[in-house]
């Protein structure tokens, strides 16, 4: 068999038991619904509130919600359809599309979380210069940087993946096209591809991780020296940012440092970062943030008012 003969892949079943399928269906469908509804609600709240829409932090938050919707949509819809009608194949093109969209939304989200940390760092450690530095122009360029960086990374990963010398069998032990699993189907030496993958992963992961670490360490050090209401409020905002960062990096660190590479455990980790994290982000921000909660209440009464006008 050669490369051209692999026109589709088959995902190995989670389990042959119908009960397990139903359980997964019952777990993933509400999570995916939360991803869509929760993140859409956050975006609508930010867009509908002039005060929030002025503020870089909330524009970043709305962009984060968009990325969460994209990240959540990489695997969940296909997984749900597969669970419903027991089909498990994906075409070669579909597989590459999943790799591209996963790496685009994942890398862009990683960059955005870093930008958000930098934004908090400027707001808390340099409050006087903050408004001049984080103007609309700067905000927009940082966002373009995130999206462009994600796109370059994703295209690079997809091109390297497409060059892999894949042989049969075409069975992937996962529920979405994942480079780690595809590499196992390679029939010859993939030394150069491995180096390219490691390079393009770490060009994003390492600088982002270091910047995050330094920003939050500086913020915490600054806030710890500050007492009173301002300090507490900053601490609580950073609390939700840090929770999101941990939820995002946790599974990545886990998968990369897990030497035993147990595919069952890897699968659970992927379910986590493909559906659970994107569903939790909006909850974390809305439950902890007074401004978002207030704006959501105003959006609700606006909607009620609108509906009442329609009825009259
Ligand atoms: C992302 O941020 C930009 C402002 O920098 C904003 O114009 C755009 O609407 C945001 N995207 C979303 C989905 O809210």
């Amino acid at each position: 068999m050669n490369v051209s003969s692999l026109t589709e892949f088959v995902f190995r079943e989670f389990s042959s038991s119908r009960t397990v399928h139903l359980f997964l269906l019952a777990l993933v469908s509400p999570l995916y619904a939360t991803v869509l509804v929760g993140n859409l609600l956050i975006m609508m709240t930010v867009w509908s509130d002039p005060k929030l829409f002025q503020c870089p932090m909330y524009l970043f938050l709305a962009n984060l919600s968009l990325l969460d919707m994209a990240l959540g949509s990489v695997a969940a819809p296909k997984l749900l359809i597969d669970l419903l009608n027991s089909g498990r194949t994906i075409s070669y093109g579909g597989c590459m599309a999943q790799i591209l969209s996963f790496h685009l939304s994942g890398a862009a989200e990683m960059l955005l979380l870093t930008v958000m940390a930098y934004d908090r760092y400027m707001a808390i450690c340099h409050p006087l210069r903050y408004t001049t530095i984080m103007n609309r122009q700067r905000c927009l360029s940082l966002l373009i940087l995130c999206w462009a960086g994600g796109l370059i990374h994703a295209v690079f990963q997809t091109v390297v993946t497409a060059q892999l010398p894949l042989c049969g069998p075409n069975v992937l032990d996962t529920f979405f096209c994942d480079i780690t699993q595809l590499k196992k189907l390679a029939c010859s030496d993939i030394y150069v591809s491995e180096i390219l993958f490691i390079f393009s992963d770490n060009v994003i992961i390492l600088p982002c991780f270091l910047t995050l670490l330094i920003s939050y360490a500086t913020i915490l050090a600054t806030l710890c020296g500050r007492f009173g209401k301002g300090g507490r409020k900053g601490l609580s905002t950073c609390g939700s940012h840090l929770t999101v960062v941990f939820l995002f990096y946790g599974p990545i660190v886990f998968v990369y440092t897990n030497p035993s590479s147990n595919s069952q455990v890897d699968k659970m980790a992927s379910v986590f970062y493909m559906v659970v994290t994107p569903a939790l982000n909006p909850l974390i921000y809305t439950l902890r943030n007074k401004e978002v909660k207030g704006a959501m209440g105003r959006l609700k009464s606006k909607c009620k008012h609108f509906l009442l006008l329609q009825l009259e």
Side-chain angles (χ1 to χ4, degrees):
M1 281 230 251
N2 60 21
V3 185
S4 54
S5 70
L6 279 191
T7 53
E8 63 173 23
F9 299 96
V10 179
F11 297 139
R12 178 168 293 155
E13 269 182 311
F14 262 97
S15 133
S16 53
S17 137
R18 186 90 192 121
T19 324
V20 174
H21 284 188
L22 287 177
F23 171 73
L24 277 172
L25 207 57
L27 183 76
V28 176
S29 24
L31 276 174
Y32 185 53
T34 313
V35 171
L36 295 182
V37 175
N39 286 300
L40 207 59
L41 201 60
I42 293 232
M43 288 196 285
M44 279 163 52
T45 307
V46 173
W47 290 341
S48 70
D49 194 287
K51 209 173 113 227
L52 295 191
F53 201 71
Q54 291 293 315
C55 176
M57 185 169 103
Y58 295 107
L59 285 176
F60 292 145
L61 183 60
N63 279 264
L64 183 70
S65 284
L66 186 64
L67 283 172
D68 270 334
M69 278 172 82
L71 187 62
S73 301
V74 172
K78 169 93 177 109
L79 173 65
L80 288 175
I81 291 171
D82 285 354
L83 285 170
L84 274 176
N85 55 20
S86 324
R88 284 172 287 120
T89 59
I90 187 166
S91 66
Y92 186 84
C95 189
M96 292 302 137
Q98 277 197 334
I99 289 179
L100 185 79
S101 50
F102 172 59
H103 284 270
L104 170 60
S105 45
E109 181 158 338
M110 193 178 277
L111 288 164
L112 183 57
L113 287 175
T114 314
V115 165
M116 289 170 85
Y118 170 74
D119 170 67
R120 286 303 84 203
Y121 162 76
M122 289 309 292
I124 289 168
C125 301
H126 302 280
L128 297 181
R129 284 192 291 145
Y130 177 69
T131 38
T132 47
I133 289 178
M134 266 299 169
N135 52 25
R136 251 203 128 72
Q137 193 54 45
R138 174 69 54 87
C139 199
L140 203 62
S141 354
L142 283 171
L143 278 165
I144 292 173
L145 185 86
C146 294
W147 288 94
L151 188 64
I152 293 171
H153 170 78
V155 169
F156 187 85
Q157 294 279 77
T158 313
V159 168
V160 177
T161 309
Q163 306 298 320
L164 286 176
L166 300 182
C167 303
N170 60 352
V171 179
L172 297 169
D173 193 9
T174 170
F175 60 93
F176 72 104
C177 273
D178 172 31
I179 293 181
T180 321
Q181 295 298 325
L182 277 175
K183 281 193 295 200
K184 292 187 182 158
L185 307 183
C187 42
S188 60
D189 204 3
I190 52 163
Y191 187 70
V192 176
S193 315
E194 287 279 17
I195 291 184
L196 291 176
F197 283 134
I198 292 175
F199 168 77
S200 87
D201 278 341
N202 287 308
V203 152
I204 304 249
I205 295 178
L206 286 183
C208 281
F209 193 66
L210 285 179
T211 312
L212 267 177
L213 219 58
I214 295 171
S215 306
Y216 283 121
T218 319
I219 290 171
L220 288 181
T222 311
L223 286 179
C224 285
R226 207 185 276 173
F227 299 102
K229 202 156 173 274
R232 263 206 307 278
K233 181 156 176 267
L235 216 52
S236 113
T237 314
C238 287
S240 38
H241 282 235
L242 274 176
T243 315
V244 170
V245 167
F246 278 124
L247 281 173
F248 188 80
Y249 277 90
I252 298 179
V253 171
F254 179 77
V255 168
Y256 277 88
T257 56
N258 187 17
S260 62
S261 176
N262 176 335
S263 70
Q264 224 49 36
V265 176
D266 280 355
K267 260 190 236 178
M268 286 334 280
S270 349
V271 170
F272 200 85
Y273 61 71
M274 309 261 351
V275 267
V276 180
T277 310
L280 285 180
N281 285 357
L283 292 182
I284 291 167
Y285 279 102
T286 42
L287 293 183
R288 301 204 40 167
N289 191 305
K290 270 209 196 80
E291 274 84 33
V292 173
K293 267 197 242 171
M296 241 171 215
R298 286 193 290 280
L299 180 66
K300 201 171 117 196
S301 50
K302 249 187 237 166
C303 288
K304 245 190 219 156
H305 190 69
F306 177 76
L307 283 179
L308 285 179
L309 279 182
Q310 301 295 308
L311 288 176
E312 266 164 16

